[in-house]
Amino acid sequence: QKEVEQDPGPLSVPEGAIVSLNCTYSNSAFQYFMWYRQYSRKGPELLMYTYSSGNKEDGRFTAQVDKSSKYISLFIRDSQPSDSATYLCAMSYSGGSNYKLTFGKGTLLTVNP
Amino acid sequence: ETGVTQSPTHLIKTRGQQVTLRCSSQSGHNTVSWYQQALGQGPQFIFQYYREEENGRGNFPPRFSGLQFPNYSSELNVNALELDDSALYLCASSFAGAAGNEQFFGPGTRLTVL
């Protein structure tokens, strides 16, 4: 079993739709949870960063972490064609060790005008 | 504030050759991590450098090696290239001592091994 599982999609939605992206993980030591957006042939861009369980909202984006279920989500409201990209979940350990990120495989999202 | 930069953008090598990739960290950051991203996969951690020393390593053979310089820039060296080394190589910088682990990525170097 991989440490982080992410449905690779692809996911295709109409403009304005609410998008839900999800990851599950197996290692309960993970404390920091991130979502990155990666456009084709570019480096990942940090979108959302959450510590432990709870919700975090930033504009049209909401990140949720449920540590009891080992499940994290990213919601995109009023999706735009410019949101078309691969979305990667990533997580790391606690303790300020500044250690490695463990990534999911990424979900390819297309928002159609 | 200058972001993470990497060079070169693209590189084509043949099997058995050696390659050096370079990374300049974001202003104010002191830690550099390297990741390999194969096509259709998430990035895989290679290693991290802090204070010019390796600070953790992923499941990569010793022919993957690195350096960090006093100005926090870094190099990734790969010897005896294999076809499976073809990938996007990403560098990420961060600040050790921050409460979390926010890592900021550069644009990557796309390596093709023929």
Side-chain angles (χ1 to χ4, degrees):
Chain A
Q1 182 189 13
K2 285 199 163 192
E3 276 194 297
V4 180
E5 300 276 3
Q6 182 176 9
D7 185 342
L11 186 60
S12 181
V13 302
E15 183 175 352
I18 297 175
V19 176
S20 172
L21 304 166
N22 311 293
C23 288
T24 59
Y25 62 95
S26 58
N27 190 340
S28 58
F30 288 136
Q31 294 281 353
Y32 296 92
F33 304 92
M34 287 138 273
W35 286 94
Y36 284 84
R37 177 175 62 195
Q38 186 174 27
Y39 291 112
S40 181
R41 308 185 83 81
K42 301 288 186 185
E45 170 195 7
L46 182 61
L47 266 183
M48 300 289 282
Y49 174 88
T50 312
Y51 171 68
S52 196
S53 285
N55 294 358
K56 185 173 183 178
E57 189 173 319
D58 183 3
R60 296 184 296 111
F61 298 90
T62 299
Q64 287 185 352
V65 175
D66 182 349
K67 289 192 70 184
S68 62
S69 301
K70 297 192 182 68
Y71 187 86
I72 69 171
S73 301
L74 177 71
F75 297 96
I76 307 174
R77 290 183 299 281
D78 187 25
S79 55
Q80 302 295 309
S82 58
D83 295 329
S84 298
T86 295
Y87 289 79
L88 296 155
C89 65
M91 40 201 84
S92 68
Y93 305 127
S94 65
S97 60
N98 209 30
Y99 202 47
K100 68 174 184 178
L101 297 179
T102 301
F103 282 86
K105 206 172 178 179
T107 299
L108 178 61
L109 170 67
T110 301
V111 181
N112 301 298
Chain B
E1 184 179 88
T2 308
V4 180
T5 61
Q6 292 186 246
S7 63
T9 307
H10 297 90
L11 207 50
I12 299 175
K13 292 286 189 178
T14 55
R15 240 179 346 173
Q17 284 190 311
Q18 178 266 341
V19 69
T20 297
L21 310 182
R22 294 178 176 83
C23 170
S24 291
S25 59
Q26 183 169 310
S27 174
H29 286 177
N30 56 14
T31 301
V32 173
S33 304
W34 286 92
Y35 293 81
Q36 180 196 66
Q37 186 177 25
L39 200 60
Q41 302 294 318
Q44 297 290 314
F45 176 74
I46 303 174
F47 43 54
Q48 183 182 86
Y49 277 83
Y50 171 62
R51 289 185 173 175
E52 301 177 50
E53 293 200 359
E54 190 178 287
N55 183 41
R57 188 178 185 93
N59 189 27
F60 282 82
R63 60 190 185 83
F64 285 78
S65 63
L67 283 172
Q68 186 182 32
F69 300 100
N71 66 354
Y72 308 122
S73 66
S74 177
E75 286 182 355
L76 164 66
N77 299 290
V78 188
N79 294 322
L81 284 167
E82 300 177 359
L83 297 179
D84 284 349
D85 295 334
S86 294
L88 181 68
Y89 287 85
L90 296 161
C91 164
S93 76
S94 54
F95 180 74
N101 190 13
E102 293 171 274
Q103 295 187 16
F104 297 89
F105 284 82
T109 293
R110 186 161 298 280
L111 172 65
T112 302
V113 182
L114 302 176

